[in-house]
Amino acid sequence: MAFSLDDRRDKPTTKLATLIDRKQITKDQALDWLRSIHEIRFFEDKVSELLGQNIIKGASHLYAGQEAVAVGACAAIQNGDVIASTHRGHGHCGAIGNTYADTEQDRQHHWNQMMAELMGKETGYCNGRGGSMHIADVNHGNLGSTGIVGGNIPNAVGAALGEKYKKSGAVVLSFFGDGSTNTGAFHEAMNMASVLNVPLVAIIENNLYGMSVPFSGSPVEAAGCAANVENIAERAAAYGVPAKIVDGQDTVAVYLAIKDAVEHARSKTEMVMVECKTYRWYGHSRSDPRVYRTKEEEKAWKDRDPIIVLSKKLLDEKMATQEELDAIAAKAEKVIEDATQFAMDSAWPNPAELTKDVYVEESYPADLIAAEKDTARAVMQATEAYESLIKTIQGRTKKEVSDKAKEQIKADYGMAVLAMKEALVQAQAEEMRRDPTVFIEGEDVGIYGGAYAATKGLLEEFGKDRVIDTAISEAAIVGAAVGAALRGLRPIAEIMYVDFMPICLDQLMHNGAFNRYMFGGHAKVPMVVRTEGGVGRCIAAHHSKSLEPWLVNVPGLYVVMPATPYDAKGLLKAAIRSDNPVVFIEHKATYSQMGAVPTDEYIIPLGVADVKRQGTDVTVVSYSRQTMFCLAAAAELQQQGISVEVIDLRTVKPLDIQTVADSVRKTGRLVTVAESFCMCGTGPEIVRQVIGYTFENGRTGFDYLDAAPVNMAAADVPPPMSEPLENASIPTPDKIVATIKAML
């Protein structure tokens, strides 16, 4: 792989007649390009008009002036290829919809759905949930657009990675503007695409302005400047990939450049970057007065309108008369007028279905849930037996003692005893053997085996195609997982510390969690993000937080936090099989924690809590390592005649509030224990839901409380490094004991 730059702007463009003689295109295709350009233009002009009438609401970033890029690029791909769009994406959606339309009825329906979506109608592509900036048709190769500048690029890389892995031969076109190329997501994604050799064509639509800021200068004195390079394609040198620059107003030139790029990406499995120099007729949005550019500049570009450029070619080469071109324009205008009427006549979405398609509905057989409860109890007994054996068995070394205890547990209970990290490795290995669409990507997951050995040995068994070491690029890691999931794979993305999740929160939330809902339920994003958090290793505030309250606040995400090796294995297997995006948070202080694990195949249903200890006096609800602290406190309180019921949520979202409420109904008291911060935390949320929970007799959880609930959580300080301070910052068994005694 090596950088090269092919600037085609001053080179002659192959004539349409020559392309027809070579059987690269037909005359009808050339004429249809013009029709598509007209349809996009009429669509955008109509959208602008409807925005002014407040019929279309919200933000719409119009594509008029850039149509040659979308039409030329989509003409260069084949069935099965994929596009990823951006907030100025009407042209891309319009062009690929035409490409996939087999009949005039299909074409009209496509534009109907587009206009209905922008009006927020039920008949839209996304049933009115996405609108202008989030329009998608994932069933026909359009992975959709995003309102976050540059946010779509990592998804495109992941989609290309998925196509490479599936050996489908498909290529992904990633459309984005010049403004995107100054974002971190762009650089992370381009580097990942280059390193992983994916079949991606990165199409930069350089319309000269990010919003009001010129990319590389403007004759307007007060205007700023976004970059010190004029040609963005030169940045391909940083990634060691070939690049092209092309006149983005010339549909034929774009078609030829993208066709060459697609053939290269398909045959070489290598990214190509194509910069299309183009211009937008409208401002960034309707409120943009365009004071940052001159009237003279606008006129010069409009003299090279894509309609004018292609029409002239058709006339000069005598492929059409002016009357025929006028008829094409009239036909296109009627399509958009009919689409507008269709959208106006369409029904609004039903508010009763507001929450539909936020999640993929999942359920588990009742007998599986019941059997798992029995297994969980047996596992606790086996683990307690192992811990007792460790204290009584004689041996020369700790390993010898442990091995003897493990053998005894296997003989007595038929279970293995594993460390948490071993359970995690087993879960991933079993699912990767079961399902070839499962793969792992992240920092140090391969040859190093993970920062906490949770992927150790997987590279040796599954190889570099399925255990992928990446650069330190959290946004690209999670964004690529989203794209791969949209293309039918089941990625496991590892983020080394939960503290790094804010770096990739855009990808996780706006794309991973929101895509299904925004795209009207027509997409699934079956991905797992494995990470770890919590204190316990004295590595201070940037590597020790517990951020699950941030994550459970995101609609569309599941959040899972295991407390034992048994839970870790069963929950991770269930998470990998889930059709929802799952954040799986391990605790850094539990990787060496030992526990019994069944040797038979099993999963633990997501959203089902575990009563780890029965009690009658007080309900204590926790998860992750704090569950073990609660069990220790309960054991001590038992010696003092106080019976504590300990509930391990296991899945923080979806939350099994029924199990918690049933326990509170029995005990009359509630204590929540978490290692995250208290304000807007998981504890207050559990209390809120318990208080409002309605039982079959009409009474609420509030009615059964005999004392005010207590929320124990981390102190309102960044996690400190010093061990005494670190311990002081979180709930510990002695504090839990004191809190419960004070309550009683």
Side-chain angles (χ1 to χ4, degrees):
M1 183 182 293
F3 168 70
S4 62
L5 182 58
D6 177 14
D7 190 342
R8 299 187 173 192
R9 288 175 293 174
D10 295 328
K11 298 176 183 178
T13 301
T14 305
K15 289 190 173 185
L16 287 168
T18 303
L19 295 177
I20 294 169
D21 289 342
R22 293 175 182 170
K23 300 189 183 307
Q24 288 184 244
I25 66 169
T26 66
K27 176 182 173 181
D28 286 344
Q29 285 175 317
L31 294 171
D32 195 66
W33 292 352
L34 182 63
R35 179 181 170 186
S36 286
I37 292 173
H38 274 299
E39 284 170 341
I40 296 169
R41 179 69 57 81
F42 284 130
F43 183 87
E44 298 295 62
D45 289 345
K46 178 61 70 172
V47 169
S48 179
E49 175 188 327
L50 295 173
L51 281 165
Q53 298 172 12
N54 206 32
I55 294 173
I56 290 179
K57 301 178 187 295
S60 279
H61 303 86
L62 302 180
Y63 192 74
Q66 301 179 207
E67 297 91 347
V69 180
V71 173
C74 289
I77 60 177
Q78 63 188 34
N79 274 3
D81 290 337
V82 177
I83 72 165
S85 186
T86 181
H87 62 281
R88 198 178 308 284
H90 305 163
H92 313 137
C93 187
I96 196 169
N98 281 352
T99 298
Y100 277 99
D102 294 325
T103 66
E104 283 294 324
Q105 291 77 14
D106 290 343
R107 191 174 189 134
Q108 184 65 60
H109 183 60
H110 155 59
W111 287 104
N112 290 353
Q113 288 181 286
M114 278 192 66
M115 188 62 82
E117 184 59 35
L118 266 68
M119 289 191 193
K121 298 298 184 71
E122 178 67 30
T123 52
Y125 264 122
C126 306
N127 306 115
R129 287 170 167 79
S132 171
M133 290 188 288
H134 314 113
I135 196 165
D137 182 11
V138 293
N139 296 320
H140 293 96
N142 181 358
L143 297 186
S145 49
T146 170
I148 308 298
V149 173
N152 60 308
I153 309 174
N155 297 175
V157 174
L161 178 63
E163 299 307 322
K164 176 185 176 182
Y165 177 76
K166 293 187 293 184
K167 296 181 172 58
S168 69
V171 171
V172 177
L173 305 186
S174 177
F175 293 96
F176 50 91
D178 50 281
S180 299
T181 65
N182 292 320
T183 68
F186 164 79
H187 292 287
E188 288 189 22
M190 292 297 95
N191 185 62
M192 177 177 278
S194 168
V195 169
L196 298 183
N197 297 315
V198 301
L200 180 80
V201 179
I203 303 174
I204 306 159
E205 297 188 81
N206 185 353
N207 61 27
L208 308 188
Y209 300 93
M211 181 173 172
S212 67
V213 179
F215 184 80
S216 58
S218 166
V220 177
E221 186 176 345
C225 182
N228 278 333
V229 294
E230 181 178 348
N231 299 318
I232 302 170
E234 294 171 8
R235 290 182 172 174
Y239 313 112
V241 298
K244 305 177 189 298
I245 304 175
V246 66
D247 177 5
Q249 304 304 95
D250 185 340
T251 310
V252 179
V254 172
Y255 164 76
L256 291 170
I258 301 299
K259 185 174 185 297
D260 288 347
V262 166
E263 289 175 356
H264 182 100
R266 203 185 309 277
S267 62
K268 305 283 189 185
T269 317
E270 177 177 296
M271 178 176 75
V272 182
M273 191 178 289
V274 181
E275 179 181 2
C276 301
K277 303 284 190 177
T278 185
Y279 203 76
R280 52 175 162 83
W281 283 187
Y282 292 94
H284 170 73
S285 59
R286 184 171 175 79
S287 60
D288 180 2
R290 310 196 306 277
V291 294
Y292 46 84
R293 63 193 201 189
T294 65
K295 298 296 183 184
E296 292 77 14
E297 179 185 278
E298 290 186 347
K299 182 181 184 308
W301 278 94
K302 287 192 175 184
D303 287 344
R304 300 202 67 257
D305 187 313
I307 294 173
I308 295 173
V309 172
L310 183 55
S311 295
K312 187 174 187 306
K313 288 178 185 287
L314 291 166
L315 290 170
D316 288 350
E317 296 191 45
K318 301 189 185 311
M319 294 207 172
T321 63
Q322 186 60 55
E323 290 76 14
E324 289 172 324
L325 297 186
D326 292 343
I328 288 172
K331 191 172 187 179
E333 185 174 21
K334 185 177 188 307
V335 166
I336 303 308
E337 289 298 331
D338 288 350
T340 303
Q341 190 60 53
F342 171 87
M344 296 280 283
D345 294 341
S346 292
W348 295 103
N350 183 356
E353 297 182 341
L354 171 66
T355 60
K356 180 183 177 183
D357 295 321
V358 177
Y359 303 91
V360 178
E361 291 187 15
E362 295 184 313
S363 61
Y364 300 91
D367 58 346
L368 172 63
I369 295 174
E372 192 280 321
K373 291 182 184 295
D374 293 337
T375 302
R377 283 192 289 271
V379 165
M380 285 294 291
Q381 293 170 1
T383 299
E384 290 170 0
Y386 170 80
E387 292 169 350
S388 296
L389 287 168
I390 287 292
K391 298 173 184 176
T392 57
I393 289 178
Q394 299 297 312
R396 290 170 296 177
T397 64
K398 288 183 178 180
K399 183 179 184 305
E400 183 180 343
V401 170
S402 177
D403 287 345
K404 288 181 178 179
K406 289 178 182 179
E407 290 175 6
Q408 190 63 49
I409 295 302
K410 187 171 184 180
D412 294 345
Y413 294 90
M415 296 187 188
V417 176
L418 302 177
M420 179 83 82
K421 58 189 173 186
E422 295 171 324
L424 293 166
V425 171
Q426 278 195 10
Q428 292 169 100
E430 289 178 11
E431 291 307 300
M432 291 175 80
R433 293 180 198 124
R434 188 187 70 85
D435 185 349
T437 67
V438 178
F439 74 96
I440 299 171
E441 46 124 6
E443 301 163 24
D444 303 319
V445 297
I447 194 168
Y448 193 68
Y452 290 93
T455 56
K456 188 175 182 180
L458 297 178
L459 174 65
E460 289 79 1
E461 179 175 354
F462 298 101
K464 293 170 66 174
D465 287 343
R466 297 187 70 187
V467 183
I468 304 170
D469 275 323
T470 70
I472 301 171
S473 303
E474 285 81 8
I477 292 167
V478 174
V482 173
L486 286 171
R487 297 305 295 164
L489 300 187
R490 291 186 177 273
I492 305 169
E494 180 174 315
I495 299 298
M496 194 178 293
Y497 291 94
V498 76
D499 311 74
F500 306 159
M501 291 296 287
I503 302 171
C504 58
L505 195 57
D506 167 36
Q507 292 298 322
L508 179 65
M509 176 167 63
H510 292 128
N511 298 331
F514 287 3
N515 271 3
R516 176 171 174 77
Y517 186 78
M518 287 195 314
F519 297 167
H522 303 299
K524 292 181 180 178
V525 191
M527 59 182 277
V528 175
V529 178
R530 277 190 47 252
T531 187
E532 63 77 35
V535 304
R537 291 191 60 234
C538 299
I539 48 180
H542 291 183
H543 291 72
S544 302
K545 292 189 293 299
S546 295
L547 296 181
E548 64 273 9
W550 291 26
L551 298 168
V552 298
N553 191 249
V554 178
L557 278 186
Y558 279 11
V559 179
V560 179
M561 298 186 70
T564 69
Y566 162 73
D567 294 322
K569 181 177 179 180
L571 290 168
L572 183 52
K573 286 168 67 69
I576 294 168
R577 298 183 191 187
S578 173
D579 284 332
N580 290 294
V582 180
V583 180
F584 193 93
I585 308 174
E586 301 135 22
H587 196 290
K588 66 169 60 66
T590 65
Y591 284 109
S592 296
Q593 176 184 320
M594 307 297 291
V597 176
T599 55
D600 296 335
E601 163 73 20
Y602 75 97
I603 65 166
I604 296 176
L606 302 180
V608 179
D610 180 29
V611 180
K612 281 194 160 46
R613 184 183 180 108
Q614 298 281 344
T616 57
D617 296 331
V618 60
T619 297
V620 177
V621 183
S622 191
Y623 52 89
S624 191
R625 184 174 71 144
Q626 286 294 330
T627 297
M628 310 313 292
F629 284 4
C630 292
L631 288 170
E636 181 175 337
L637 287 165
Q638 186 68 41
Q639 302 303 313
Q640 302 175 39
I642 299 173
S643 177
V644 178
E645 183 146 297
V646 178
I647 296 177
D648 177 10
L649 291 177
R650 302 194 293 195
T651 302
V652 187
K653 189 178 185 181
L655 179 64
D656 181 2
I657 199 62
Q658 180 180 345
T659 295
V660 177
D662 286 344
S663 178
V664 170
R665 184 181 191 176
K666 176 175 61 174
T667 67
R669 291 173 174 83
L670 173 63
V671 176
T672 69
V673 186
E675 201 165 299
S676 52
F677 304 123
C678 189
M679 188 170 184
C680 301
T682 53
E685 175 61 19
I686 293 165
V687 171
R688 182 189 73 82
Q689 291 198 34
V690 166
I691 288 174
Y693 185 85
T694 302
F695 293 94
E696 80 290 342
N697 59 9
R699 298 181 68 186
T700 66
F702 178 81
D703 297 326
Y704 287 102
L705 284 168
D706 298 328
V710 176
N711 297 310
M712 300 185 68
D716 191 27
V717 298
M721 175 270 168
S722 176
E723 187 171 23
L725 294 178
E726 187 180 58
N727 289 334
S729 72
I730 63 167
T732 49
D734 58 320
K735 297 174 192 172
I736 298 169
V737 167
T739 297
I740 292 173
K741 290 174 71 174
M743 170 181 272
L744 296 172

